[in-house]
Coordinates of all heavy atoms in Angstrom, one line a residue:
N1 N 10.8 5.8 4.9 CA 11.7 4.7 4.8 C 11.6 3.7 5.9 O 11.8 2.5 5.7 CB 13.2 5.2 4.6 CG 13.4 5.9 3.3 OD1 12.6 5.8 2.4 ND2 14.4 6.7 3.3
S2 N 11.4 4.2 7.1 CA 11.3 3.3 8.3 C 10.1 2.4 8.2 O 10.2 1.3 8.4 CB 11.0 4.2 9.6 OG 12.2 4.9 9.9
L3 N 9.0 2.9 7.7 CA 7.8 2.1 7.6 C 8.0 1.0 6.5 O 7.7 -0.1 6.6 CB 6.5 2.9 7.2 CG 5.1 2.2 7.2 CD1 4.2 2.9 8.0 CD2 4.7 1.7 5.9
V4 N 8.6 1.5 5.3 CA 8.9 0.6 4.2 C 9.8 -0.6 4.7 O 9.5 -1.8 4.4 CB 9.5 1.2 3.0 CG1 10.0 0.2 2.1 CG2 8.4 2.2 2.4
S5 N 10.8 -0.2 5.5 CA 11.8 -1.3 5.9 C 11.0 -2.3 6.9 O 11.3 -3.4 6.8 CB 12.9 -0.7 6.6 OG 12.7 -0.1 7.8
L6 N 10.1 -1.7 7.7 CA 9.3 -2.6 8.6 C 8.4 -3.6 7.7 O 8.5 -4.8 8.0 CB 8.5 -1.8 9.6 CG 7.8 -2.6 10.6 CD1 8.7 -3.4 11.5 CD2 6.9 -1.6 11.5
V7 N 7.7 -3.1 6.8 CA 6.7 -3.9 6.0 C 7.5 -4.9 5.3 O 7.2 -6.1 5.1 CB 5.9 -3.0 5.0 CG1 5.2 -3.9 4.1 CG2 5.0 -2.1 5.9
K8 N 8.7 -4.5 4.7 CA 9.6 -5.5 4.0 C 10.1 -6.5 4.8 O 10.1 -7.6 4.5 CB 10.7 -4.6 3.3 CG 11.5 -5.4 2.3 CD 12.6 -4.5 1.6 CE 13.4 -5.4 0.6 NZ 14.2 -4.6 -0.2
G9 N 10.6 -6.1 6.0 CA 11.1 -7.1 7.0 C 10.1 -8.0 7.5 O 10.5 -9.3 7.8
I10 N 8.9 -7.7 7.7 CA 7.8 -8.6 8.2 C 7.5 -9.6 7.1 O 7.2 -10.7 7.3 CB 6.6 -7.8 8.6 CG1 6.9 -6.9 9.9 CG2 5.5 -8.7 8.8 CD1 5.8 -6.1 10.4
N11 N 7.5 -9.1 5.8 CA 7.3 -10.0 4.8 C 6.1 -10.9 4.8 O 6.2 -12.2 4.7 CB 8.6 -10.8 4.4 CG 8.6 -11.5 3.1 OD1 7.9 -11.1 2.2 ND2 9.3 -12.6 3.1
K12 N 5.0 -10.3 5.1 CA 3.7 -11.1 5.1 C 2.7 -10.4 4.2 O 3.0 -9.3 3.7 CB 3.1 -11.0 6.6 CG 4.0 -11.9 7.6 CD 3.3 -12.2 8.8 CE 4.1 -13.1 9.7 NZ 3.5 -13.3 10.9
P13 N 1.6 -11.0 4.0 CA 0.6 -10.2 3.0 C 0.4 -8.7 3.5 O 0.3 -8.4 4.6 CB -0.7 -11.1 3.3 CG -0.2 -12.3 3.6 CD 1.0 -12.1 4.5
A14 N 0.5 -7.9 2.5 CA 0.5 -6.4 2.7 C -0.8 -5.9 2.0 O -1.1 -6.1 0.9 CB 1.7 -5.7 2.3
V15 N -1.5 -5.0 2.7 CA -2.7 -4.4 2.2 C -2.6 -2.9 2.5 O -2.1 -2.5 3.6 CB -4.0 -4.9 2.9 CG1 -5.2 -4.1 2.5 CG2 -4.1 -6.4 2.7
C16 N -3.0 -2.0 1.6 CA -2.9 -0.6 1.8 C -4.3 0.0 1.6 O -4.9 -0.1 0.6 CB -1.9 0.1 0.9 SG -1.7 1.8 1.2
W17 N -4.8 0.7 2.7 CA -6.0 1.3 2.7 C -5.9 2.8 2.4 O -5.4 3.5 3.2 CB -6.8 1.1 4.0 CG -8.2 1.7 4.1 CD1 -8.8 2.6 3.2 CD2 -9.2 1.4 5.1 NE1 -10.1 2.9 3.6 CE2 -10.2 2.2 4.8 CE3 -9.2 0.6 6.2 CZ2 -11.5 2.1 5.6 CZ3 -10.3 0.5 6.9 CH2 -11.5 1.3 6.6
A18 N -6.3 3.3 1.2 CA -6.0 4.5 0.7 C -7.3 5.3 0.1 O -8.2 4.5 -0.2 CB -4.8 4.6 -0.3
D19 N -7.2 6.5 -0.1 CA -8.3 7.2 -0.7 C -8.4 6.8 -2.2 O -7.3 6.5 -2.8 CB -8.1 8.7 -0.6 CG -8.2 9.2 0.8 OD1 -8.9 8.6 1.5 OD2 -7.6 10.3 1.0
L20 N -9.6 6.8 -2.7 CA -9.7 6.5 -4.1 C -9.6 7.9 -5.0 O -10.6 8.5 -5.4 CB -11.1 5.9 -4.5 CG -11.5 5.4 -5.9 CD1 -10.4 4.5 -6.4 CD2 -12.8 4.9 -6.0
D21 N -8.3 8.2 -5.0 CA -7.9 9.4 -5.8 C -6.6 9.1 -6.3 O -5.9 8.1 -6.0 CB -8.0 10.7 -4.9 CG -7.1 10.7 -3.8 OD1 -6.1 9.8 -3.5 OD2 -7.3 11.6 -2.8
A22 N -6.0 10.1 -7.2 CA -4.7 9.9 -7.7 C -3.6 9.7 -6.7 O -2.7 8.8 -6.8 CB -4.3 11.0 -8.6
A23 N -3.6 10.4 -5.7 CA -2.6 10.2 -4.6 C -2.7 8.9 -3.9 O -1.7 8.3 -3.7 CB -2.7 11.4 -3.6
G24 N -3.9 8.5 -3.6 CA -4.1 7.2 -3.1 C -3.6 6.0 -3.8 O -2.9 5.1 -3.4
I25 N -3.9 6.2 -5.1 CA -3.4 5.0 -6.1 C -1.8 5.1 -6.2 O -1.2 4.1 -6.0 CB -4.1 5.2 -7.5 CG1 -5.6 5.0 -7.4 CG2 -3.4 4.4 -8.5 CD1 -6.4 5.5 -8.6
A26 N -1.3 6.3 -6.1 CA 0.2 6.4 -6.1 C 0.7 5.9 -4.9 O 1.9 5.3 -4.9 CB 0.6 7.9 -6.5
I27 N 0.2 6.1 -3.8 CA 0.7 5.6 -2.5 C 0.8 4.1 -2.5 O 1.7 3.6 -2.1 CB -0.2 6.1 -1.3 CG1 0.1 7.6 -1.1 CG2 0.0 5.4 -0.1 CD1 -0.9 8.3 -0.3
V28 N -0.3 3.4 -3.0 CA -0.2 1.9 -3.0 C 0.9 1.5 -3.9 O 1.7 0.6 -3.6 CB -1.6 1.5 -3.6 CG1 -1.5 -0.1 -3.7 CG2 -2.7 1.7 -2.6
G29 N 1.1 2.1 -5.1 CA 2.2 1.7 -6.0 C 3.5 2.0 -5.4 O 4.4 1.1 -5.6
D30 N 3.6 3.2 -4.8 CA 4.9 3.5 -4.1 C 5.4 2.5 -3.1 O 6.5 2.0 -3.0 CB 4.8 4.9 -3.6 CG 6.0 5.4 -2.9 OD1 7.2 5.5 -3.5 OD2 6.0 5.6 -1.7
L31 N 4.4 2.1 -2.2 CA 4.7 1.1 -1.2 C 4.9 -0.2 -1.8 O 6.0 -0.9 -1.3 CB 3.4 0.9 -0.3 CG 3.5 -0.1 0.8 CD1 4.7 0.2 1.7 CD2 2.3 -0.2 1.6
Q32 N 4.3 -0.6 -2.9 CA 4.6 -1.9 -3.5 C 6.0 -1.9 -4.1 O 6.7 -2.8 -4.0 CB 3.6 -2.2 -4.6 CG 3.9 -3.5 -5.3 CD 2.6 -4.0 -6.1 OE1 1.6 -4.2 -5.4 NE2 2.6 -3.9 -7.3
R33 N 6.3 -0.8 -4.8 CA 7.6 -0.7 -5.5 C 8.8 -0.7 -4.5 O 9.7 -1.4 -4.6 CB 7.7 0.6 -6.3 CG 9.0 0.8 -7.0 CD 9.0 2.2 -7.7 NE 8.8 3.3 -6.9 CZ 9.6 3.9 -6.1 NH1 10.8 3.5 -6.0 NH2 9.3 4.9 -5.4
R34 N 8.6 0.1 -3.5 CA 9.8 0.2 -2.4 C 9.9 -0.9 -1.6 O 10.9 -1.3 -1.0 CB 9.6 1.6 -1.6 CG 9.8 2.7 -2.5 CD 9.3 4.1 -1.9 NE 10.1 4.3 -0.7 CZ 9.6 5.1 0.2 NH1 8.4 5.5 0.2 NH2 10.3 5.2 1.4
S35 N 8.8 -1.6 -1.2 CA 8.9 -2.8 -0.2 C 9.2 -4.0 -1.1 O 9.5 -5.1 -0.4 CB 7.5 -2.9 0.4 OG 6.5 -3.4 -0.4
E36 N 9.0 -4.0 -2.3 CA 9.3 -5.2 -3.2 C 8.3 -6.3 -2.9 O 8.7 -7.5 -3.0 CB 10.7 -5.6 -3.2 CG 11.7 -4.5 -3.6 CD 13.1 -4.9 -3.4 OE1 13.4 -5.9 -2.7 OE2 14.0 -4.1 -3.9
L37 N 7.1 -6.1 -2.4 CA 6.1 -7.0 -2.0 C 4.8 -6.6 -2.9 O 4.6 -5.6 -3.1 CB 5.8 -6.9 -0.6 CG 6.8 -7.2 0.4 CD1 6.4 -6.9 1.9 CD2 7.2 -8.7 0.3
A38 N 4.1 -7.6 -3.0 CA 2.7 -7.4 -3.6 C 1.8 -6.7 -2.5 O 1.7 -7.2 -1.4 CB 2.0 -8.7 -4.0
V39 N 1.2 -5.6 -2.9 CA 0.4 -4.8 -1.9 C -1.1 -4.9 -2.5 O -1.3 -4.3 -3.6 CB 0.9 -3.5 -1.8 CG1 0.0 -2.6 -0.9 CG2 2.3 -3.5 -1.2
T40 N -2.0 -5.3 -1.7 CA -3.4 -5.3 -2.2 C -4.0 -3.9 -1.8 O -3.9 -3.6 -0.6 CB -4.2 -6.4 -1.5 OG1 -3.5 -7.7 -1.9 CG2 -5.6 -6.5 -2.0
P41 N -4.6 -3.2 -2.8 CA -5.1 -2.0 -2.5 C -6.6 -2.2 -1.9 O -7.3 -3.0 -2.4 CB -5.2 -1.2 -3.8 CG -5.3 -2.4 -4.9 CD -4.5 -3.5 -4.2
V42 N -6.9 -1.4 -0.9 CA -8.3 -1.2 -0.5 C -8.7 0.2 -0.5 O -8.0 1.0 0.2 CB -8.3 -1.8 1.1 CG1 -9.8 -1.5 1.6 CG2 -8.0 -3.1 1.2
F43 N -9.5 0.6 -1.5 CA -9.8 1.9 -1.6 C -11.3 2.2 -1.2 O -12.1 1.2 -1.1 CB -9.9 2.3 -3.1 CG -8.4 2.2 -3.7 CD1 -8.1 1.3 -4.7 CD2 -7.4 3.1 -3.3 CE1 -6.9 1.2 -5.2 CE2 -6.2 3.0 -3.8 CZ -5.9 2.1 -4.9
M44 N -11.5 3.5 -0.9 CA -12.9 3.9 -0.6 C -13.7 3.6 -1.8 O -13.3 4.0 -2.9 CB -12.9 5.4 -0.3 CG -14.3 5.9 0.0 SD -14.8 5.2 1.6 CE -14.6 6.7 2.6
D45 N -14.7 2.8 -1.8 CA -15.5 2.4 -2.9 C -16.4 3.5 -3.4 O -17.0 4.2 -2.6 CB -16.4 1.2 -2.4 CG -17.1 0.5 -3.6 OD1 -17.5 1.1 -4.6 OD2 -17.1 -0.7 -3.6
A46 N -16.3 3.7 -4.7 CA -17.1 4.9 -5.3 C -18.6 4.6 -5.0 O -19.3 5.6 -5.1 CB -16.8 5.0 -6.8
S47 N -19.1 3.4 -4.9 CA -20.6 3.2 -4.6 C -21.0 3.8 -3.3 O -22.1 4.0 -3.1 CB -20.9 1.7 -4.8 OG -20.3 1.0 -3.7
L48 N -20.0 3.9 -2.4 CA -20.3 4.5 -1.1 C -20.8 6.0 -1.3 O -21.6 6.4 -0.4 CB -19.1 4.5 -0.1 CG -18.7 3.1 0.3 CD1 -17.4 3.3 1.2 CD2 -19.8 2.5 1.1

């Protein structure tokens, strides 16, 4: 909750770098839902 409140309070473009797995995808969605900001995902690229 502390991190979400900080991200929401800053209110600037938000990016989340997460693993390319179910949990990573859920983490990006959770941050976006709770911060009420658009969050751009950056995942580990499968081509790597």
Side-chain angles (χ1 to χ4, degrees):
N1 291 339
S2 290
L3 189 139
V4 170
S5 70
L6 184 61
V7 170
K8 188 174 182 174
I10 290 173
N11 194 25
K12 291 191 176 181
V15 174
C16 185
W17 183 342
D19 292 336
L20 184 56
D21 59 15
I25 294 166
I27 287 167
V28 173
D30 179 61
L31 176 59
Q32 182 165 293
R33 178 183 57 78
R34 291 170 56 210
S35 69
E36 301 173 346
L37 297 170
V39 176
T40 302
V42 176
F43 294 113
M44 182 68 106
D45 191 318
S47 68
L48 290 176

